[in-house]
Amino acid sequence: VCRDKEMCDLYKTALDELLAPEVSQIIISEDPTHDPEPVKRHYLGDAQRRKAIDDFKKPAPKTQEERDDPDNRFKRVEILIVCDMLLTGFDAPIL
């Protein structure tokens, strides 16, 4: 959990350098009026954000065909970087 959205962007950048970009995903509350541009590039919109959270809780795709399916993009995520979201009552799977 990040306290600062810009720090979330830095974490994501560092993780992308160490791991594949699809391994991590930023989940943030979106504030287009106040968020800086580097943060805005991680916006998912409400529907995609909900899908990312729901898919994160599901098992990862097992076959290459399932991994390549664009609909399974969020099921490949192993690390959620969270800011101003999901702070209580989130039933994330234990890794």
Side-chain angles (χ1 to χ4, degrees), residues 2-40:
C2 297
R3 292 178 180 236
D4 180 288
K5 292 179 184 180
E6 291 177 88
M7 186 63 70
C8 291
D9 177 58
L10 293 174
Y11 286 144
K12 174 71 172 144
T13 301
L15 286 169
D16 287 354
E17 290 177 13
L18 295 170
L19 309 168
E22 65 269 6
V23 172
S24 63
Q25 178 69 51
I26 293 180
I27 301 292
I28 57 174
S29 59
E30 299 172 8
D31 185 357
T33 309
H34 297 102
D35 287 339
E37 288 305 316
V39 172
K40 290 179 183 180

Side-chain angles (χ1 to χ4, degrees), residues 6 9 15 23 27 39-41 46 48-49 51-52 54 57 61 65-66 68 79-81 83 85-86 93 95:
E6 291 177 88
D9 177 58
L15 286 169
V23 172
I27 301 292
V39 172
K40 290 179 183 180
R41 67 187 173 106
D46 193 47
Q48 286 295 303
R49 185 174 51 247
K51 180 172 175 32
D54 290 343
K57 299 176 195 177
E65 183 180 352
E66 290 174 320
D68 291 342
I79 300 169
L80 284 183
I81 303 165
C83 185
M85 300 285 303
L86 310 174
L95 302 176

